[in-house]
Amino acid sequence: MIENLAKEEFEARKDYYRGCDMEVYRCRICGEVYIGTEKPGSCPFCGAHKNYLVVANEWNMIKATSLSDVSRKNLQKALELEIDNTNFYRGVSQKTENIYVEGMFKGLSKVEREHASTICKHLGITKPESDVGFDKAVESDEENISESNRREKRAVRFYLEARNEATESEIKEFFKALMEIESDHIRLTEQGI
Ligand SMILES: [Fe+2]
Ligand SMILES: [Fe+2]
């Protein structure tokens, strides 16, 4: 029965599938997997740019074998920043009455949550439970967007510093990827509603 349905679905969409083999892509920044007919413009989970997405059998995570004290300290600071932003964005998404703002901040919150999880993988720790930042969302969409723009600028500045301080090539690369992603978020938050 299920096999027949799959066959029918394939027959009905033959043109759509023609020349489009399914592929498994995997992100070298967050480790998540995307299955589709072509590589997306950026990782749908962490926002890493296209160059970090590779076919699954060529995948390896960008991760240092050991961490210097300065990188450990910067990753811990990055974790706090990402958790705070995750919660703030979730707060905005729940508070707003504007459907676009709701979607935008739901998306931003998910990406920042993925960053927090990935940082925990580097630190070798379990992600801490925290609501810090959630109650900072205010009534005004405009004010929340301005605040998110300031947060993303702060993040880019910090990741630039952390990248320069890192001695491990993998950690340099990781902070560079985060800088690129948060720069995309600066652009998004500057577009307004
Ligand atoms: Fe990713
Ligand atoms: Fe982030």
Side-chain angles (χ1 to χ4, degrees), residues 46 81-82 85 108 111-113 115-116 119 152 155 159 178 181-182 185:
C46 76
L81 180 153
E82 294 290 349
N85 286 353
L108 283 171
V111 167
E112 309 303 13
R113 181 177 298 128
H115 293 173
I119 292 165
E152 297 295 343
Y159 289 141
L178 289 182
I181 303 162
E182 315 299 10
H185 295 171

Side-chain angles (χ1 to χ4, degrees), residues 19-138:
C20 299
D21 285 340
M22 294 303 289
E23 189 60 85
V24 180
Y25 296 99
R26 196 157 183 192
C27 177
R28 298 191 65 220
I29 295 298
C30 71
E32 286 301 331
V33 176
Y34 172 78
I35 298 172
T37 52
E38 58 188 56
K39 202 193 269 198
S42 57
C43 172
F45 303 95
C46 76
H49 288 183
K50 204 176 187 170
N51 52 308
Y52 292 108
L53 293 167
V54 295
V55 288
N57 56 8
E58 287 171 11
W59 177 82
N60 66 328
M61 185 105 170
I62 294 177
K63 193 171 180 298
T65 43
S66 66
L67 291 175
S68 63
D69 287 348
V70 69
S71 287
R72 183 170 296 277
K73 183 196 80 188
N74 283 336
L75 284 165
Q76 262 148 2
K77 194 173 162 193
L79 177 60
E80 280 167 31
L81 180 153
E82 294 290 349
I83 288 176
D84 200 310
N85 286 353
T86 299
N87 293 333
F88 173 66
Y89 294 161
R90 183 166 52 91
V92 176
S93 148
Q94 288 179 14
K95 205 157 198 169
T96 183
E97 281 171 8
N98 179 304
I99 198 165
Y100 172 75
V101 176
E102 184 195 330
M104 171 175 155
F105 281 89
K106 184 178 159 67
L108 283 171
S109 181
K110 283 203 153 205
V111 167
E112 309 303 13
R113 181 177 298 128
E114 193 62 50
H115 293 173
S117 302
T118 305
I119 292 165
C120 289
K121 286 181 199 158
H122 287 281
L123 287 168
I125 59 170
T126 313
K127 200 167 93 183
E129 287 297 322
S130 165
D131 274 330
V132 171
F134 182 78
D135 58 359
K136 296 198 191 108
V138 297

